[in-house]
Amino acid sequence: MSDLNLDATQLDRYSRHVIMDEVGPGGQAALLDASVLVVGAGGLGAPVLQYLAAAGVGRLGIADDDVVERSNLQRQVVHADADVGRPKVDSAREFVEALNPDVAVDTHQTRVDRDTVSDLVDDHDVVVDASDNFATRYLLNDACVLADTPLCHGAIYKFEGQATTVPAGGAPCYRCLFPEPPEPGTVPDCATTGVLGVLPGTIGAVQATEAVKLVTGIGDPLHGRMFTYDAADLSADEVPYRANPDCPVCGDDPVDSVASQTYQETCVVSE
Amino acid sequence: MQVTVDVKGEDDVEVDAGADATYADLLSAVDLSPHEVTVLVDGRPVPEDQPVNVDHVTVLRLVKGG
């Protein structure tokens, strides 16, 4: 759909958007025209997919190489008990299709790596990082910056969450804030420390909000701002950050491709 | 020199930094490793081995989970 002609069912479904001055039929048409890649169909990916599907994003790409485990169900709300053992992309697709038939779903049951990332990113308007590892996180940052594709980042740990949005082309990007990934084993993950089940719902909703804002052009994205959230005392804060001219991806002398870089345990960008 | 270390998600800590103190020393004073955080001065990360020349830093954790 490339015009403002919503059919009667769509006018009903999206009526609470259409009546908003800030969204209106034009904003809804933009959502229906948009494509968003969600990398990770776990804790963060689940609410991102729910809200982007409900909002009527016309095409959703879902990338995840995992299968549903019972321990996921405490927070990964697009998967059900009967999905245990099934690929996450399959149950996520079924959830989206049941929620909104306007949304086309492309699934990629693979771990996004440097061989596949460029094609995936290039095929979408916005990318949402809902991954659970630093290799994917740095790879997505670098690939999105190089492709001029905006990236909505999120991460969670116990009661704490973070979210920021890397603008098309970066400056600043995630590496401007965290230049290099940590040494292996120095940063705990949810599997070893646990995570409050509702926390990814909060942070994922922030990421979905950012994606909707980017598509519709509404508001001020989290560019150069890291949103931080603490569920334990229900407090939020933000940390401003600036573009780093020495950033190897969006600085003055950037790399031109992720193909020659290493994105494993250390995710180092070679000079 | 008194330096305010603003660790996001925690209370601020006042650290008495010696003349040769580095940003790694500030982190050590608040029981954090340079591997797990970034230290920001005026919105940009600073190398951990550089001498401290400001009276306020922001410390942000790297978070892995998704």
Side-chain angles (χ1 to χ4, degrees):
Chain A
M1 177 171 301
S2 58
D3 56 29
L4 307 186
N5 295 325
L6 307 179
D7 65 32
T9 302
Q10 290 173 326
L11 284 171
D12 187 14
R13 175 184 290 274
Y14 307 116
S15 60
R16 302 309 192 267
H17 272 168
V18 172
I19 62 172
M20 292 176 70
D21 290 340
E22 297 83 352
V23 182
Q28 188 58 55
L31 287 164
L32 287 161
D33 248 351
S35 58
V36 177
L37 173 66
V38 181
V39 179
L44 291 172
V48 169
L49 289 166
Q50 286 181 315
Y51 278 106
L52 294 185
V57 169
R59 186 162 60 89
L60 286 173
I62 308 172
D64 198 310
D65 66 340
D66 237 340
V67 297
V68 178
E69 299 177 35
R70 187 157 281 108
S71 63
N72 299 153
L73 303 179
Q74 156 255 25
R75 65 198 180 283
Q76 300 184 15
V77 292
V78 297
H79 312 300
D81 197 69
D83 295 320
V84 172
R86 299 180 66 210
K88 287 185 178 179
V89 293
D90 289 350
S91 42
R93 173 208 286 270
E94 290 170 11
F95 185 98
V96 169
E97 290 177 342
L99 177 61
N100 190 344
D102 284 342
V103 181
V105 182
D106 301 321
T107 57
H108 309 275
Q109 192 187 353
T110 181
R111 177 166 287 244
V112 178
D113 60 23
R114 62 184 180 180
D115 295 327
T116 59
V117 69
S118 295
D119 284 345
L120 285 170
V121 167
D122 287 346
D123 195 35
H124 296 85
D125 301 318
V126 176
V127 175
V128 178
D129 171 16
S131 67
D132 63 357
N133 64 89
F134 287 115
T136 304
R137 184 156 296 147
Y138 279 81
L139 174 65
L140 286 175
N141 175 78
D142 298 356
C144 287
V145 169
L146 294 172
D148 282 335
T149 301
L151 172 70
C152 304
H153 158 81
I156 51 174
Y157 165 72
K158 297 176 77 174
F159 294 92
E160 299 176 28
Q162 297 180 345
T164 190
T165 297
V166 176
C173 75
Y174 188 75
R175 279 191 192 270
C176 295
L177 186 58
F178 298 112
E180 296 292 346
E183 292 295 320
T186 57
V187 173
D189 59 23
C190 297
T192 54
T193 63
V195 61
L196 191 70
V198 300
L199 176 64
T202 306
I203 299 301
V206 171
Q207 292 178 273
T209 303
E210 288 291 284
V212 168
K213 286 162 56 185
L214 290 170
V215 168
T216 58
I218 296 169
D220 297 317
L222 284 167
H223 293 165
R225 297 182 288 146
M226 178 64 86
F227 172 82
T228 65
Y229 172 73
D230 185 341
D233 59 12
L234 216 67
S235 63
D237 201 351
E238 67 176 45
V239 177
Y241 62 98
R242 296 189 293 150
N244 178 4
D246 296 324
C247 175
V249 181
C250 71
D252 294 338
D253 185 23
V255 298
D256 56 11
S257 166
V258 299
S260 59
Q261 313 307 324
T262 300
Y263 295 95
Q264 295 177 350
E265 287 299 316
T266 57
C267 318
V268 170
V269 169
S270 36
E271 298 295 332
Chain B
M1 177 173 58
Q2 286 293 115
V3 180
T4 302
V5 182
D6 175 9
V7 183
K8 288 302 171 184
E10 300 179 10
D11 294 333
D12 290 1
V13 179
E14 297 293 328
V15 175
D16 189 8
D20 299 327
T22 65
Y23 292 103
D25 294 328
L26 291 183
L27 292 178
S28 179
V30 295
D31 290 328
L32 288 170
S33 159
H35 296 302
E36 59 183 324
V37 298
T38 190
V39 180
L40 299 171
V41 172
D42 196 20
R44 284 190 183 145
V46 288
E48 67 196 59
D49 59 354
Q50 292 298 301
V52 178
N53 57 4
V54 295
D55 61 7
H56 185 281
V57 300
T58 300
V59 177
L60 187 64
R61 294 180 193 277
L62 267 160
V63 176
K64 181 178 182 181

